[in-house]
């Protein structure tokens, strides 16, 4: 009887002829998460992924439950396709479950599936035989087919796999399966969630943060670095590009209409981010923009801002309300970092009455009075990059 971890995935199973590509990406992600345990292997076989020789289950599961593409992880046992071997494994699992139960009797049911149709008995008969055997041999059990405390799963494949509990994963697609993108990361609540959503859809993510010393202090930089470290708990590490926007904001403040300042600043961000993304091999930009949340997030404003980008702009939070975004930020543990009271460049020089229905022509006319290429080049020349890792991944 071998002990292993059985990996469940969801939509990857619907990928047809591309399924192997996604499975290999998921296999690589699992192997990366298990790097501290070099003796552990991840096997891909017959539409399943298995982790053999699992190490300390608590530490390994903590990492595996953050691997994108994983729907659930089941600590399981593997036995040969022999009815007595299956029954013995079932007894061991349910004895352990009964021993750790808070009260007896412990209610259970057996759920069998046969991917290998050559095995006999069939699923219904196997369930009946195992259930009767468990009631006879393991004290403290009671059958409840409607709301059992434990469902003993039995999968019949090239071997038999049995498990009684599963730990949820994040789901989605494996990291890197959808390419690479660059996240415009502010210090707020929304953009870290947008980055997480992009990673969950298979995007390898790098981040760019715009800061404006001396108007923003070192605490705001530390805050963004901590956000990256927290996002890195889902992917191992994050490359952060720090782009100094001070000269751009000064030029806008001195030479542009007050009500267009935010729009012009965001258009500069799009230009700089597009170039950073191109240099890093990313094919899309990701933002935390949300329709109707602030003045710069009307359809007209988003149209004007996006016109300055040379890559597609993805907005995973576009239709979410603030409550949904906060809830997800709390789940991925970025919320408490985001609400630290340190200003970023987006909160500086905010006009009293920003335009909410701008036209592209008038914005371009105002922009034409600024040395756009010089300012963008200067910002790129002052951009510095670093790689940040989650503490437990170092």
């Amino acid at each position: 009887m071998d002990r292993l971890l059985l990996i469940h995935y969801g939509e990857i199973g619907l990928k047809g002829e591309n399924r192997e590509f996604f499975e290999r990406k998921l296999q690589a992600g699992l192997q990366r998460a298990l790097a501290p345990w070099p003796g552990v292997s991840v096997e891909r076989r017959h539409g399943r992924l298995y982790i053999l020789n699992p190490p300390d289950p608590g530490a390994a599961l903590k990492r595996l439950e953050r691997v994108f593409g994983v729907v659930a992880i089941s600590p399981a046992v593997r036995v040969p396709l022999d009815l007595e071997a299956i029954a013995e494994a079932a007894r061991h699992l349910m004895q352990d479950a009964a021993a750790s139960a808070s009260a007896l009797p412990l209610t259970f049911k057996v759920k069998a599936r046969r991917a290998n149709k050559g095995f006999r008995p069939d699923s219904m008969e196997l369930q009946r035989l195992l259930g009767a055997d468990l009631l006879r041999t393991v004290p403290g059990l009671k059958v409840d087919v409607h709301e059992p405390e434990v469902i003993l799963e039995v999968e019949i494949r090239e071997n038999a796999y049995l498990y009684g509990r599963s730990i949820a994963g994040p789901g989605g697609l494996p990291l890197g399966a959808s390419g690479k993108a660059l996240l415009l990361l502010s210090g707020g609540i929304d953009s870290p969630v947008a980055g997480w959503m992009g990673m969950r859809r298979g995007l390898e993510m790098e981040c760019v943060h715009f800061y404006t010393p001396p108007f923003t202090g070192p605490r705001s930089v530390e805050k963004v670095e901590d956000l990256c470290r927290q996002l890195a708990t889902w992917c191992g590490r994050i490359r952060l590009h720090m782009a100094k926007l001070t000269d751009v904001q000064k030029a806008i403040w001195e030479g542009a209409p007050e009500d267009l300042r935010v729009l012009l600043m965001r258009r500069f961000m799009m230009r700089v981010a597009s170039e950073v993304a191109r240099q890093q091999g990313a094919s899309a930009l990701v933002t935390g923009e949300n329709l109707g949340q602030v003045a710069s997030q009307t359809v007209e404003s988003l149209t004007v801002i996006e016109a300055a980008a040379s890559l597609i702009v993805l907005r995973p939070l576009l239709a979410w309300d603030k409550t949904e975004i906060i809830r997800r930020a709390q789940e991925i543990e970025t919320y408490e970092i985001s609400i630290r009271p340190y200003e970023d460049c987006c909160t500086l020089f905010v006009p009293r009455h920003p335009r909410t229905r701008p036209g592209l022509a008038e914005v371009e006319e105002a922009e034409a009075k600024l040395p756009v290429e010089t300012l963008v080049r200067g910002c790129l020349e002052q951009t510095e990059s670093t790689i940040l890792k989650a503490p437990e991944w170092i």
Side-chain angles (χ1 to χ4, degrees):
M1 183 167 59
D2 300 324
R3 293 193 177 275
L4 48 80
L5 297 175
L6 197 158
I7 305 298
H8 304 265
Y9 54 73
E11 61 187 290
I12 292 175
L14 305 175
K15 295 300 182 183
E17 294 182 357
N18 295 321
R19 177 171 170 170
E20 183 177 345
F21 166 79
F22 288 92
E23 286 182 345
R24 289 190 181 281
K25 285 288 186 183
L26 180 55
Q27 185 178 17
L30 294 168
Q31 201 75 63
R32 188 167 53 245
L34 295 169
W37 300 281
V40 179
S41 61
V42 182
E43 282 191 5
R44 187 174 61 88
R45 187 188 306 167
H46 304 300
R48 282 289 193 198
L49 288 162
Y50 307 94
I51 295 172
L52 307 179
N53 306 313
D56 170 30
L61 286 171
K62 185 178 179 183
R63 282 173 167 248
L64 294 173
E65 65 187 16
R66 291 187 172 227
V67 175
F68 294 109
V70 172
V71 170
I73 311 144
S74 299
V77 295
R78 178 174 63 184
V79 296
L81 291 179
D82 174 78
L83 188 55
E84 179 48 35
I86 295 171
E88 184 180 356
R91 290 178 210 126
H92 279 294
L93 286 174
M94 292 309 300
Q95 284 167 354
D96 290 345
S100 59
S102 57
L104 296 177
L106 176 69
T107 59
F108 80 105
K109 77 173 184 180
V110 179
K111 182 178 178 182
R113 283 175 291 179
R114 289 182 311 146
N116 179 354
K117 300 298 183 186
F119 180 80
R120 291 291 185 273
D122 64 18
S123 299
M124 292 293 290
E125 181 65 4
L126 181 59
Q127 291 173 177
R128 190 189 67 78
L129 291 172
L130 292 178
D133 181 77
L134 289 169
L135 285 174
R136 188 171 58 252
T137 58
V138 181
L141 297 184
K142 179 182 178 182
V143 172
D144 183 342
V145 296
H146 299 294
E147 295 184 355
E149 294 170 273
V150 176
I151 300 177
L152 179 63
E153 305 264 3
V154 183
E155 294 190 12
I156 302 298
R157 296 175 177 272
E158 82 290 350
N159 287 294
Y161 298 85
L162 296 90
Y163 51 94
R165 70 184 182 102
S166 295
I167 298 94
L173 297 175
L175 201 66
S178 300
K180 181 192 279 190
L182 181 70
L183 170 68
L184 279 71
L185 180 66
S186 73
I189 296 170
D190 298 355
S191 58
V193 176
W196 186 88
M197 293 293 292
M199 290 194 288
R200 188 171 182 268
R201 294 311 300 165
L203 286 169
E204 180 186 348
M205 199 68 69
E206 296 192 9
C207 300
V208 60
H209 176 71
F210 295 93
Y211 70 122
T212 54
F215 305 109
T216 55
R219 291 289 186 87
S220 67
V221 174
E222 291 174 7
K223 178 180 174 181
V224 168
E225 291 176 343
D226 286 346
L227 284 170
C228 283
R229 292 189 183 95
Q230 182 56 33
L231 288 175
T233 63
W234 299 88
C235 60
R237 63 181 190 172
I238 291 273
R239 185 185 298 274
L240 172 64
H241 307 276
M242 296 294 296
K244 192 182 294 183
L245 202 67
T246 309
D247 293 341
V248 172
Q249 282 204 304
K250 283 182 177 177
I252 292 173
W253 174 263
E254 294 168 356
E258 180 183 351
D259 60 351
L260 296 180
R261 284 177 191 160
V262 172
L263 293 169
L264 292 170
M265 180 187 69
R266 293 191 181 281
R267 282 170 59 83
F268 272 99
M269 289 178 174
M270 286 291 171
R271 289 188 175 92
V272 173
S274 295
E275 181 57 23
V276 172
R278 189 192 62 76
Q279 294 172 2
Q280 299 301 317
S283 53
L285 303 180
V286 176
T287 78
E289 290 166 317
N290 175 276
L291 191 59
Q293 191 176 110
V294 296
S296 63
Q297 295 177 1
T298 63
V299 170
E300 292 84 352
S301 295
L302 293 176
T303 301
V304 166
I305 293 168
E306 186 166 334
S310 59
L311 296 174
I312 184 174
V313 180
L314 305 177
R315 300 180 173 91
L317 309 184
L318 192 71
W320 287 28
D321 64 36
K322 198 66 180 181
T323 302
E324 293 171 314
I325 297 171
I326 289 175
R327 186 184 305 127
R328 181 55 57 88
Q330 291 169 331
E331 290 171 356
I332 65 174
E333 300 177 50
T334 57
Y335 180 75
E336 292 298 328
I337 304 172
S338 292
I339 61 173
R340 293 178 191 168
Y342 310 124
E343 287 189 319
D344 58 41
C345 66
C346 296
T347 59
L348 298 173
F349 308 134
V350 176
R352 288 167 295 179
H353 303 291
R355 291 286 296 279
T356 57
R357 299 284 187 267
L360 180 58
E362 64 175 327
V363 173
E364 289 178 336
E365 182 179 347
E367 203 170 59
K369 299 173 183 175
L370 302 173
V372 174
E373 291 186 11
T374 301
L375 289 170
V376 170
R377 187 168 57 251
C379 186
L380 287 168
E381 290 173 352
Q382 297 181 79
T383 298
E384 298 179 348
S385 303
T386 185
I387 293 176
L388 298 169
K389 300 179 181 179
E392 62 267 36
W393 287 74
I394 292 173

